[in-house]
Amino acid sequence: MQKPKLQWITQESDSIGNAYGYASHNREMRRSSAEYIDIDDEAPVALTIVPADKFIRVPGKINVLFTMFETTDLPTNYMKAINAADAIIVPCKFCRDLFKRYTTKPIYICHEGVNPDIYRYHKRRPPASGEKFRFLWCGAANPRKGYPVILEAIKVFEAFENVEIYLKTTVKKTSWWDTVKLSWKNRDEIFKKSEYAKDVRKAMIRSWQRMPKKSNADALRKYGKNDNVIFDSRKLPLDDLIALYNSAHCFVLPSFGEGWGLTLCEAMATGAPAISIEATGCAEFFDDTVGYPIKWDKKDIRLENYELVTQCHIPDTVDCIDQMFHVIKNYDKALKKGKKASERINSKFTWDQAGQRLGEIIKEIYARQLESEVANV
């Protein structure tokens, strides 16, 4: 059967935001769909992969918008964008159900994924004598990616010399205190009301270690300055990113919500035991059989960029810390979950499968258009 033709609007060099997910999504989806779609600038169907507020309709085309959102409501500019498109593609059921509340346009699901030839299973072992147990967190230093939660975890774990927390982020590091103060300043009220001593006490009671007998002031004075906390803002080539995933004993993503959760998906593909929320996009591939879900609750949050008050899936900070201790203490069992996670991702959630699904969707859009034209004759 002849492959459908498609004008691919978003180029790799386009400014589609500093989001790692969107950039990777655009690059990998284009590569993987080449077997199923002919890229042709003269094609009647145009595909744009961007956050919806950056969508620009192409005149004279059937416009397909591939986008996503992470909270329980859409901002006004997203509502306008999805209704300006002729069809919408989203990566998960959460986004489909969210968008259906705001538009009657057809909505299709096409998941994201990994390249199994690159994100291969990496066999891990418990840390050797003198080696630190490394928790890896990846993301922009903002609340949605769980940055405030991981900062709370640092207060606990940097007290232990045999534990290391590695923060791979996108912002430049001027000093630890700049990032900490920025995070505290922009925190949601949930975190402003959080009492450091109470949270740590609760986590310690439920865990297997005790904090050293130091005052909170002493702990905070060293906060983020110990050798076992690494803040990495480099732009890494792919080989180095894979090596970073492979170096982690456990991946932690206490996100407030994901359209998909690409870094979680990639880390799981390498076999890293993972801690995250089983909600929004992550729920498509993450659960307690392949990882360690964090308890969460829907709470109001204000998105200043969108002038929107909505709800996010807020992870329980204490439960996240508790899960981290649990993985350390039960690492042999965690490794078995990590292996299952790798098998699931690399068999069911690959970019090649996503490219094939995209080809099916574009064929359906052509068929819909043909039906519409016949109906209007």
Side-chain angles (χ1 to χ4, degrees), residues 157-209:
F157 287 100
E158 74 170 347
F160 305 113
E161 294 181 356
N162 61 338
V163 177
E164 178 178 85
I165 295 186
Y166 197 113
L167 302 168
K168 178 67 196 80
T169 188
T170 55
V171 297
K172 293 181 179 179
K173 180 182 179 184
T174 51
S175 74
W176 253 104
W177 280 109
D178 284 347
T179 64
V180 171
K181 286 186 290 186
L182 178 64
S183 177
W184 284 345
K185 180 180 178 182
N186 293 333
R187 277 178 168 189
D188 180 72
E189 286 298 317
I190 297 162
F191 293 97
K192 289 180 181 177
K193 294 175 183 176
S194 173
E195 298 176 22
Y196 161 61
K198 181 178 70 175
D199 279 357
V200 170
R201 191 181 306 116
K202 286 167 64 179
M204 292 298 97
I205 289 172
R206 295 168 57 189
S207 302
W208 62 289
Q209 293 272 20

Side-chain angles (χ1 to χ4, degrees), residues 222-280:
K222 294 183 177 180
Y223 180 45
K225 298 178 182 178
N226 290 344
D227 291 340
N228 60 343
V229 179
I230 300 172
F231 189 94
D232 185 351
S233 61
R234 296 172 300 160
K235 185 174 181 179
L236 296 179
L238 182 58
D239 287 348
D240 288 349
L241 177 62
I242 301 298
L244 181 59
Y245 281 135
N246 290 344
S247 74
H249 293 95
C250 181
F251 186 80
V252 187
L253 184 68
S255 171
F256 290 18
E258 297 287 334
W260 177 252
L262 187 57
T263 57
L264 175 62
C265 189
E266 291 173 343
M268 289 171 62
T270 70
I275 299 170
S276 189
I277 61 167
E278 186 184 348
T280 61

Side-chain angles (χ1 to χ4, degrees), residues 84-147:
D86 298 297
I88 302 137
I89 306 176
V90 295
C92 66
K93 299 181 186 72
F94 171 82
C95 289
R96 177 200 62 192
D97 295 343
L98 171 62
F99 284 26
K100 280 174 67 174
R101 290 164 40 205
Y102 297 94
T103 186
T104 58
K105 301 295 177 69
I107 303 174
Y108 303 89
I109 294 178
C110 179
H111 65 66
E112 297 186 36
V114 299
N115 183 339
D117 294 332
I118 298 174
Y119 292 89
R120 294 186 294 270
Y121 172 71
H122 173 72
K123 187 173 182 179
R124 291 163 171 79
R125 294 176 176 82
S129 178
E131 183 184 4
K132 292 181 174 65
F133 188 101
R134 173 176 283 184
F135 288 105
L136 173 63
W137 171 86
C138 293
N142 61 46
R144 187 176 71 77
K145 289 295 183 180
Y147 190 53

Side-chain angles (χ1 to χ4, degrees), residues 9-27:
I9 300 301
T10 324
Q11 303 300 316
E12 284 195 40
S13 60
D14 285 354
S15 177
I16 58 174
N18 63 356
Y20 168 77
Y22 271 106
S24 300
H25 181 180
N26 182 66
R27 180 183 64 253

